[in-house]
Structures are given as structure tokens and as C-alpha cells.
Amino acid sequence: MSNEKEGLTAQEILENEEMEAAAAEDSSAKEFLTFVSDGLTYGVPTEQVIEIITNHAIRPLPLVPDYVRGIINLRGQIIPIIDMRLRLGKSFIEYTSTTCIIILDIGSDRVGICVDSVSQVLPLDVSESSPVPLEDRQHLATSMISAEDGKVILLLNCPAITAS
């Protein structure tokens, strides 16, 4: 028996071991910001989310892929904006009051993704995720997971958003 466990009852030792096992189990759980784009729910790790903004004027850019809607000036920083619908190969729809721009930190870059709506922050156990069966979406999602309410959440592959 180790020195740190001396003086503890058998019950206390068992309780400590159970708490340590639960903490180790929770290490695969991460918090994800969930959002909706074209009827699909996606999750992005909260550590990559800088902020969520609304009602920001997007300035168009020439000679960029159609899914790059343009740029915004956010407190002196120029940030490219990618429309998730267009990035998924869907058609553009006019922005509504629920449309948001999620500013992400992807490596050394900051990028905004325009989404239909932001849902909530959820703790998700990534060890319970499954591969994405659809090849056309697979590059934008690393995997998928079922939330407690039964909704399927695609876990976003952030570096793939900016890849052409």
C-alpha cells in the first residue's frame, strides 16, 4: 500500500479509486459548440471557438472560391468568412436573424464560418464517436456522435474547412 493511502479505510480507498477512474473516463469528454447548417448539426471543440458574432458586414473578394463569402474587419483584424452551406456544396440562402458567424482559431489562422444557427455547448465523449459513412461529407467531418437527445452531431474537421 502506498504512503498516500496509509491511514485510509478500505471503503475510502475504494471511493478514491472510483473517483480516479471516473476522472480518467472524463478525459475523453470534450466540450463542443454545436451549430446547424443546411439541417445538419455540427460540433466544433470550444477551445477553437474565439467568439460568435451576428450582423457583421461581409465585404466580397474577387477570385476566391464561391464558399468564401468575403472578409470582415473585426477590431482591426481581417478575417475571411466561409459560408458552411456553400462549403458543403449546397445552394446559398439569404441570411436571417439566426444566422451567425463563428470565429475559429485554426492553427495559426483565424477564420469565420457562417452558419444557419448556433445551438448549444455540449460535453461529448469523443471515444464514443463513429466514422462518417458519407464520403462527400467525410472530409469536413472527422466523425459523428449521438447526443443524449438522439441527435447526430458531425464533428467538424476545422483544418479541412479552409483546404481547397
Side-chain angles (χ1 to χ4, degrees):
M1 191 175 279
S2 69
N3 289 338
E4 64 187 44
K5 292 187 179 179
E6 285 180 19
L8 297 178
T9 66
Q11 180 64 30
E12 290 171 326
I13 292 171
L14 284 175
E15 287 172 3
N16 284 344
E17 287 175 356
E18 286 173 6
M19 287 180 8
E20 288 170 9
E25 248 179 58
D26 287 344
S27 66
S28 62
K30 293 172 71 175
E31 289 199 332
F32 286 81
L33 174 68
T34 59
F35 63 88
V36 176
S37 187
D38 193 41
L40 297 172
T41 302
Y42 289 87
V44 62
T46 55
E47 68 251 11
Q48 290 189 282
V49 176
I50 304 299
E51 64 184 292
I52 301 166
I53 59 175
T54 57
N55 295 330
H56 217 81
I58 301 173
R59 300 191 194 291
L61 288 175
L63 305 172
V64 294
D66 67 339
Y67 58 84
V68 178
R69 294 294 296 159
I71 56 172
I72 62 170
N73 183 339
L74 186 62
R75 293 182 294 282
Q77 187 173 14
I78 304 302
I79 299 178
I81 304 299
I82 295 172
D83 188 299
M84 283 301 294
R85 280 180 169 271
L86 297 174
R87 186 66 179 99
L88 292 166
K90 302 298 180 178
S91 58
F92 176 76
I93 64 164
E94 289 298 320
Y95 297 147
T96 67
S97 62
T98 62
T99 303
C100 297
I101 297 174
I102 304 171
I103 307 297
L104 299 174
D105 186 10
I106 302 175
S108 61
D109 299 321
R110 291 221 170 149
V111 175
I113 57 171
C114 195
V115 301
D116 296 345
S117 64
V118 170
S119 303
Q120 61 187 335
V121 173
L122 292 174
L124 299 174
D125 187 351
V126 293
S127 68
E128 294 178 5
S129 64
S130 305
V132 178
L134 303 173
E135 287 184 33
D136 64 332
R137 298 199 199 289
Q138 193 163 3
H139 69 283
L140 288 179
T142 56
S143 56
M144 61 184 182
I145 192 166
S146 182
E148 288 181 10
D149 63 1
K151 188 182 299 183
V152 174
I153 300 169
L154 298 166
L155 303 182
L156 196 63
N157 181 358
C158 290
I161 295 170
T162 58
S164 42

